[in-house]
Amino acid sequence: AIRRLFSYARPHIAALALALILTAGAVALTLYAPILIGRGVDLVAAPGGVGFDGLIPVLWALALAVAGASFFQWIASLLTGRVAYRPVEDLGLQLTGGLHTADALPGEGIEFYDTFLRGQVGHGNLETAIGIILGALSVFALSGIFGV
């Protein structure tokens, strides 16, 4: 069952790999921020007063590190969401025969489908499937990274 589940995620493996690389970059920048803060404290507490000439570049580096970590985390979350949702969408299209528009839906028209919660028509709860795929990908990705 797991192999079949990952067969739907395989076309999106590049996005998952990029998300892991970006996450590692975000962690590195997050860990670098306290080092920069320590350098700034050393410059402020230095004998002879505050070394503003050295403090300004440290503050710029700190701002860039925080902005870079935030940006990397944001892009990684977008990619992870893509890896979670796209296989479920592909599976849904496979199960429904590739219906892409509301006009192609069988039945009594779009009003019939408006009575259901999102994801409940035809093939079960999509949100649950997305959660299972995202959880499985996270567990396997983390176990590969940390050797658990």
Side-chain angles (χ1 to χ4, degrees):
I2 296 293
R3 278 184 201 250
R4 186 169 180 204
L5 181 67
F6 280 113
S7 71
Y8 289 102
R10 186 168 290 125
H12 311 287
I13 200 74
L16 181 61
L18 183 58
L20 289 173
I21 291 168
L22 289 172
T23 300
V27 168
L29 289 173
T30 301
L31 293 174
Y32 187 53
I35 294 170
L36 292 171
I37 291 171
R39 288 182 186 166
V41 168
D42 290 344
L43 289 169
V44 170
V50 178
F52 284 109
D53 292 338
L55 187 59
I56 300 297
V58 170
L59 291 175
W60 275 109
L62 179 61
L64 289 174
V66 170
S70 300
F71 179 75
F72 286 173
Q73 287 175 341
W74 176 58
I75 297 297
S77 69
L78 290 176
L79 292 171
T80 305
R82 177 180 172 185
V83 170
Y85 284 96
R86 291 283 170 91
V88 174
E89 181 183 17
D90 295 344
L91 179 61
L93 289 174
Q94 182 182 1
L95 291 173
T96 59
L99 300 176
H100 293 285
T101 64
D103 297 333
L105 293 173
E108 305 163 13
I110 195 67
E111 296 83 19
F112 170 76
Y113 294 97
D114 282 341
T115 61
F116 292 95
L117 293 175
R118 191 177 96 211
Q120 288 185 337
V121 177
H123 49 290
N125 194 338
L126 286 178
E127 286 78 14
T128 302
I130 290 167
I132 290 170
I133 289 173
L134 183 58
L137 289 174
S138 297
V139 167
F140 287 111
L142 290 175
S143 66
I145 291 172
F146 296 112
V148 176

